[in-house]
Amino acid sequence: MSKHAHQHDNHKHTDACCSSSQCCSNQADNSSMHSHTESGHTHSKIDKSDPECEEEHDHAHGCCDSNAPVSNVEPEKIAQQRFSWKVQGMDCPSCAQKIETAVLKVVGVKQAKILFATEKLVVDADTDLRTDVISAVKSAGFELFDISSAGSQPPAKQSLLKESSFVIILAILMAISWGAEFIDPQAGRAAFIATTLIGLFPIVKKSLRLIRSGTPFAIETLMSVAAIGALFINATEEAAMVILLFMIGEMLESYAAGRARRGVSALMALVPEEAVVIKEGKKQTVPVAQLRPGDIIEIAPGARLPTDAELITAFASFDESALTGESVPVERLQGEKVAAGCLSVDRSVQMKVVSEQGQNAIDRILQLIEEAEERKAPIERFVDRFSRYYTPLIMLFSALVIIIPPLLFAQPWETWFYRGLTLLLIGCPCALVISTPAAITSALAAATKRGALIKGGAALEQLGTVNTVALDKTGTLTEGKPQVTDVIANVGFNEKELLMLASSVEVGSHHPLAKAIINKAQEQQIDVVEADNRKALAGKGIEGYLNNQHILVSAPTQLSETTPLSAQWQQQVARLEDEGKTVVVVLKEDQFIGVIAMQDTLRNDAIESMKVLKSMNINAVMLTGDNPRAAAAIAQKLGMDFRAGLLPEDKVTSVMEISQTHNTMMVGDGINDAPAMKAATIGVAMGSGTDVALETADAALTHNRLTGLPEIIQLSRATRKIIRENITIALGLKAIFLVTSLFGITGLWVAVLADSGATALVTANAVRLLKVKLKSPHQD
């Protein structure tokens, strides 16, 4: 971020921080903020009692509790009570619609929503309707399990052999029927009828349940009508084959859903069920649900954190790959926060719990995945609407094919009845319905594995259209940890005195530039005395009083006309800024004391990442509040355009200007850059996945690596390509076999094979995204 904030807590205003993600901008006093336009840092008196706030650079919009849950991750509650269950038996997104339809028919239910990725049903009602909801879902052919009850959990996942046992039995019966037909055609026909009826029983049963629960045009209904119709016209072999192929297709859909949810299940499995708590020097094992902020826990070597916690031990290494995609263990020091699910690599450590129950890093990721389903891609929403009208229309068309030729053209009833049934099966929308969500779910899972969180299909689709990336400077393109490079004192003063005066007004601030000055003073072993009446001056600098003498730290361009810099010092400042450094001047009682120059370091992957973006024909522009010369020095290294000297509102204006002619991605820290992110086509937050960053942006790079930008754009482009391929496969095969079936070239079993084959193809095509190879920054 290029427009920084120095936060001061000299009065510890504990009410300055929000307890949720609510914006606190109304609490900020204009008189307590100022901006160094050229040096690019903003001061604000904000309480820093929350350790997480130390990482947030600009709190002009408020300071937020790091443990606040992500808002609106589930549908907004619209009734007095909310109930939730785990659902078993969902194979595809259409199953979710069937369950929602069944639950909404229960009198008193105000809202019902299926979160498919986490297999969760959320119901809002004013009274306790749990029994009625469970009954409605059961009548639709699905099972519910109370999430909160230990005794009501879904059974363990069955083996693949056991899951496919019915299909295997059906296939064996088919083989026996064919064998019988070779020996005795009559016996063979009877065997095929028996096989069809055995296979048809669960399908008809489910179809009747769905009809009663409000879903008359389900695929089970189409399949039942077609198979029974085939039996009536003695197409017994084809009737049996229709059922077998349908069951295989259902199994493939179940496999696809399982693959798509596997990443989510792996995340949920990262959090252990028990934790070792240390109370009064004694260790005891307790359920994770009992942990509360402030509890001291012990993590054994090779064990995972059950919740977000702060390291008490001096230092330790943690494997964070499951959350960030970073394969190398990360060294954490005492006082640093570590996310739930991370693994202690080589030693036993003690940690202090910092997150409330249900609000740790894993919970927030799962909530985001649930939220993602609310944000469907435009093409997915279109396919959903299309399929609702498509199925009834195809049934009507099939009925007309059966009726019109015999009635108007004296054609044989049996021939056109057969062709009508074939068209009914050809028209099955399964492959079309699953074509988009299968690809999007696979892509979201692939992104999560790479340390990126993308909020749903809409954001995923927009990423692929981006042709311009606007990036904040500090903390995005740079490390956000500047260091003092030059301390130049005026005649009559020395470097230590200059640092001491500057530090006296900067002490207590958590802003990177302020911390750089404080750290330099500590290196020089300078005793820093906190100045009195420290105050931020809007648009100018920060001031205070030391020994009743006025001290001012300001950007060079913000000095008043009464205290201008001499030509010699102006040249000195220009030289430092030309080197890409940020410069502040220090005055005592309007007397010029000297200048302090600081420089941030580029991220290790910044140059390579910009090269990859350029190779993808994506333009990059740096937006910064820093002075133009310093910005130009960094932009030149990166080979990108820049706009400098920007206030936060100027960033918004710049992004809006760019967005008029380009699809723009704004990349920042998720707080100060929030308005600019909202103004862009899509916003991406850098950082460790804090609540504010995740809430503000459409996507977040939890691994904090710039290489993630070209990766998620490439992933989006690959997803869009696969979605187009899937829709082409689904509709193309239907169009071909619709014509061949109408002219009697292909029959019933080919129709089902075409539909099941299309479902299998789009599923396999979508699953490819889980292992798609993206261009590395090190590749040409």
Side-chain angles (χ1 to χ4, degrees), residues 222-223 226 242 420-428 734 748 751-752 755:
L222 302 185
M223 207 57 57
V242 162
L421 293 179
T422 305
L423 288 177
L424 195 65
L425 298 182
I426 284 292
C428 172
K734 287 187 187 303
L748 276 175
V752 180
D755 180 68

Side-chain angles (χ1 to χ4, degrees), residues 276-411:
V276 177
V277 178
I278 301 176
K279 289 184 179 179
E280 299 177 354
K282 296 181 180 179
K283 299 179 184 179
Q284 60 182 96
T285 303
V286 301
V288 169
Q290 294 182 14
L291 293 179
R292 294 294 179 268
D295 287 348
I296 306 301
I297 58 175
E298 184 173 273
I299 311 298
R304 294 191 180 275
L305 270 67
T307 183
D308 295 350
E310 183 181 291
L311 186 62
I312 296 176
T313 307
F315 66 91
S317 296
F318 291 91
D319 179 354
E320 302 180 355
S321 58
L323 292 178
T324 67
E326 179 60 65
S327 58
V328 179
V330 179
E331 189 81 11
R332 295 294 182 186
L333 301 177
Q334 187 178 42
E336 288 193 272
K337 181 179 171 182
V338 185
C342 295
L343 184 145
S344 178
V345 177
D346 54 6
R347 61 188 304 182
S348 177
V349 295
Q350 290 190 2
M351 310 193 74
K352 182 172 74 174
V353 175
V354 296
S355 63
E356 292 283 355
Q357 177 62 26
Q359 295 177 14
N360 64 48
I362 300 293
D363 293 320
R364 293 197 297 273
I365 292 172
L366 292 172
Q367 288 167 345
L368 279 171
I369 292 171
E370 292 176 354
E371 182 185 28
E373 298 194 20
E374 294 295 307
R375 304 182 178 190
K376 291 185 176 181
I379 193 168
E380 186 176 2
R381 290 195 295 267
F382 168 75
V383 169
D384 283 349
R385 289 195 301 269
F386 177 75
S387 62
R388 289 176 193 170
Y389 300 103
Y390 172 82
T391 306
L393 285 174
I394 205 71
M395 291 187 76
L396 176 62
F397 181 64
S398 299
L400 293 176
V401 166
I402 292 171
I403 295 170
I404 291 176
L407 287 181
L408 299 184
F409 303 103
Q411 295 291 315

Side-chain angles (χ1 to χ4, degrees), residues 417-472:
F417 186 75
Y418 181 87
R419 292 182 183 179
L421 293 179
T422 305
L423 288 177
L424 195 65
L425 298 182
I426 284 292
C428 172
C430 280
L432 181 63
V433 169
I434 203 173
S435 61
T436 304
I440 287 173
T441 306
S442 296
L444 293 177
T448 302
K449 284 174 61 179
R450 288 180 167 85
L453 294 176
I454 302 173
K455 293 185 179 179
L460 183 66
E461 186 171 340
Q462 287 173 333
L463 279 168
T465 67
V466 166
N467 50 30
T468 298
V469 177
L471 300 104
D472 173 42

Side-chain angles (χ1 to χ4, degrees), residues 724-738:
R724 289 193 296 269
E725 290 172 355
N726 280 355
I727 291 175
T728 302
I729 291 169
L731 293 180
L733 285 175
K734 287 187 187 303
I736 292 170
F737 286 100
L738 198 67

